[in-house]
Amino acid sequence: MAAHMIRARGLVKHYKKVRALDGLDLDVPQGSVLGLLGPNGAGKTTAVRVLTTLLEPDEGSVEIAGVDALADPDGVRSRIGLAGQYAAVDEYLTGFENLDMIGRLYGLGRAESRSRARELLDRFDLSDAADRPSKTYSGGMRRRLDLAGALVAAPPVLVLDEPTTGLDPRSRIGMWDVIRELVDSGTTLLLTTQYLEEADRLADEIVVIDQGRAIAKGTADQLKRNIGGDHVELVVAKAADLPAAREAVAAITTGQVKVDESTRELSAPVDAGAEALMRLLRRLDSEGIGVLDVGVRRPTLDDVFLTLTGHGTEDSAPDADTDSAAGARVKETTR
């Protein structure tokens, strides 16, 4: 079994009456991606700030790459890279100057800092814009530059807090490719995200948190299986055919048939989705029921979220200001 590069036990963090973290446990094996999912206010960013030593937990322990984060925060900082929700780049410096400055701050020295900056600019497809002020960069370019900055010191552990928020679909897919390349090269990654497709594509394991607690854990496939199997969905051509179509679906379902009369749509859970669909189509054809659309749908992570939390990832929880409150206290805590 691979060593755990991130291990957290019983993390608790309060902000006055708000319990931002409520006994959170996390484990991330070396060279893997843990996706931390949750709605706004779930405590994702607070967890990130505790794991990266920007906040001290009220209770619990954190170990990063074998280093106790509470006993040796400087040792942890030397082993991690962090990219937050907003690109932390100096807009008046060029892309090269941003990365060179970070290298100098890490103590890499003039020659190594400059060499590392050029290497990362090339890796993130930013070489052509290396000598332009970063304020002229697009959102996707600024994100890539920010991620490059987190990698200047080649940390074994990388923490990305909603790294693709606000990016267009093309830029988001490009960032996914970069992240996967990093993990394939041995980097261990903790990723928080509200994009369920992102977690589905990148994460080896997912932890769903809500109100500061882990409420589910597993691979994307495991979480989907836990909420049920395939569903048959169809849209009939005529409203008058809904009763007969409902009877046809009921004959092949393992559960309740849902009917939306306004859209003429029916859906129901089934075993052996492809076989059930074929049986349904034969019956609909024999009874002359016209169908506009039909198919088998597998559960998605959206379904997992709705089942586990009762709301989607972007819905605000009662403590939705938790993470912003954490941000206001970072400076005070790290003085």
Side-chain angles (χ1 to χ4, degrees), residues 3-311:
H4 285 90
M5 295 295 282
I6 300 176
R7 183 183 291 272
R9 289 292 178 270
L11 294 183
V12 174
K13 185 66 182 178
H14 296 90
Y15 299 116
K16 296 183 179 179
K17 295 182 179 180
V18 175
R19 196 173 176 92
L21 297 178
D22 190 12
L24 183 65
D25 295 340
L26 296 173
D27 290 292
V28 189
Q30 183 176 4
S32 68
V33 181
L34 177 68
L36 193 61
L37 273 65
N40 289 333
K44 300 187 302 295
T45 296
T46 298
V48 164
R49 286 169 174 157
V50 168
L51 294 172
T52 56
T53 76
L54 295 175
L55 287 174
E56 290 187 7
D58 297 322
E59 299 176 27
S61 63
V62 176
E63 191 176 279
I64 306 292
V67 178
D68 187 322
L70 299 182
D72 186 10
D74 288 340
V76 168
R77 291 167 192 156
S78 69
R79 291 165 170 81
I80 63 173
L82 170 64
Q85 295 182 21
Y86 305 100
V89 299
D90 188 323
E91 63 180 13
Y92 294 103
L93 297 181
T94 65
F96 171 79
E97 289 168 342
N98 266 281
L99 299 184
D100 181 43
M101 176 184 67
I102 293 171
R104 303 291 185 91
L105 292 173
Y106 269 110
L108 299 184
R110 176 185 174 88
E112 187 175 356
S113 293
R114 294 172 69 87
S115 174
R116 184 66 172 155
R118 293 298 182 190
E119 175 189 342
L120 288 169
L121 288 166
D122 183 61
R123 183 175 188 179
F124 286 87
D125 197 25
L126 291 170
S127 293
D128 291 343
D131 298 319
R132 284 168 37 197
S134 60
K135 66 180 179 181
T136 67
Y137 287 13
S138 67
M141 294 169 67
R142 288 169 66 91
R143 284 287 187 185
R144 296 203 303 276
L145 182 62
D146 187 43
L147 182 54
L151 295 172
V152 167
V157 177
L158 186 61
V159 180
L160 303 182
D161 189 12
E162 301 190 14
T164 62
T165 297
L167 296 186
D168 61 75
R170 181 177 179 181
S171 297
R172 183 175 297 127
I173 292 171
M175 184 68 80
W176 292 348
D177 291 339
V178 169
I179 291 171
R180 179 45 66 185
E181 288 175 9
L182 291 172
V183 175
D184 289 344
S185 68
T187 302
T188 301
L189 174 63
L190 175 72
L191 170 73
T192 78
T193 181
Q194 291 189 40
Y195 297 112
L196 300 178
E197 182 186 1
E198 186 165 271
D200 212 347
R201 177 163 175 169
L202 296 176
D204 298 301
E205 189 171 54
I206 294 170
V207 173
V208 181
I209 68 171
D210 200 14
Q211 299 184 26
R213 298 186 301 272
I215 60 174
K217 178 182 178 180
T219 66
D221 287 341
Q222 287 170 341
L223 292 174
K224 293 172 188 176
R225 284 198 300 268
N226 287 343
I227 67 165
D230 296 341
H231 280 67
V232 163
E233 297 180 342
L234 72 150
V235 178
V236 298
K238 300 177 182 179
D241 287 333
L242 277 172
R246 187 187 186 287
E247 289 186 12
V249 174
I252 55 99
T253 186
T254 57
Q256 182 180 2
V257 180
K258 295 182 180 179
V259 180
D260 187 332
E261 295 185 359
S262 63
T263 60
R264 304 189 304 281
E265 182 177 355
L266 302 94
S267 65
V270 294
D271 291 330
E275 180 183 342
L277 179 60
M278 292 175 62
R279 288 164 49 202
L280 175 62
L281 289 174
R282 284 195 293 265
R283 176 162 175 172
L284 293 173
D285 182 61
S286 67
E287 296 185 12
I289 299 173
V291 174
L292 297 180
D293 190 19
V294 64
V296 176
R297 182 177 67 85
R298 298 185 182 277
T300 66
L301 284 179
D302 292 274
D303 299 320
V304 172
F305 249 91
L306 290 171
T307 300
L308 293 173
T309 69
H311 48 73

